[in-house]
Amino acid sequence: MTVAYYGLAPNPQELWDNLLTTHHTRVGVDTETYSIQDITMLGVGISVDGETGFYITTDDPQFDRFINILRDPDTFKVYHNAPFDLRAMRG
């Protein structure tokens, strides 16, 4: 179970809570899998501001809550590699 923070802000827990509770108009997304052939998803990276980001593994207790951000039709998603990322998430 992992949630990792990448950035310089002194308050990552506050940023994480904000990520989960606030509507975001645009997010950057990247999935991580075992390989190109084995698209079993290991986790997802996300950024809402292009400067800070979080990575969450699929076995984290907050993952289902987190994934709702990506299910929101009013949030514009910018994927690192959309065809692959979407296939991995549907997998």
Side-chain angles (χ1 to χ4, degrees), residues 20-90:
L20 294 178
T21 59
T22 304
H23 171 74
H24 302 282
T25 56
R26 180 177 50 198
V27 296
V29 183
D30 186 28
T31 60
E32 298 302 328
T33 64
Y34 282 104
S35 69
I36 293 173
Q37 292 77 30
D38 180 354
I39 62 166
T40 303
M41 191 165 56
L42 300 172
V44 178
I46 190 167
S47 178
V48 296
D49 63 7
E51 294 181 17
T52 60
F54 289 93
Y55 176 80
I56 185 169
T57 58
T58 56
D59 62 349
D60 190 274
Q62 298 184 80
F63 188 78
D64 288 336
R65 189 171 170 207
F66 163 81
I67 209 73
N68 285 329
I69 297 165
L70 303 181
R71 290 184 178 130
D72 182 347
D74 295 326
T75 299
F76 183 80
K77 291 89 172 172
V78 178
Y79 290 94
H80 177 259
N81 180 350
F84 182 83
D85 292 334
L86 293 170
R87 200 168 85 233
M89 285 194 268
R90 290 181 185 127

Side-chain angles (χ1 to χ4, degrees), residues 12-22 54 62 65:
Q13 184 62 52
E14 184 179 318
L15 293 174
W16 175 251
D17 293 341
N18 182 50
L19 177 71
L20 294 178
T21 59
T22 304
F54 289 93
Q62 298 184 80
R65 189 171 170 207

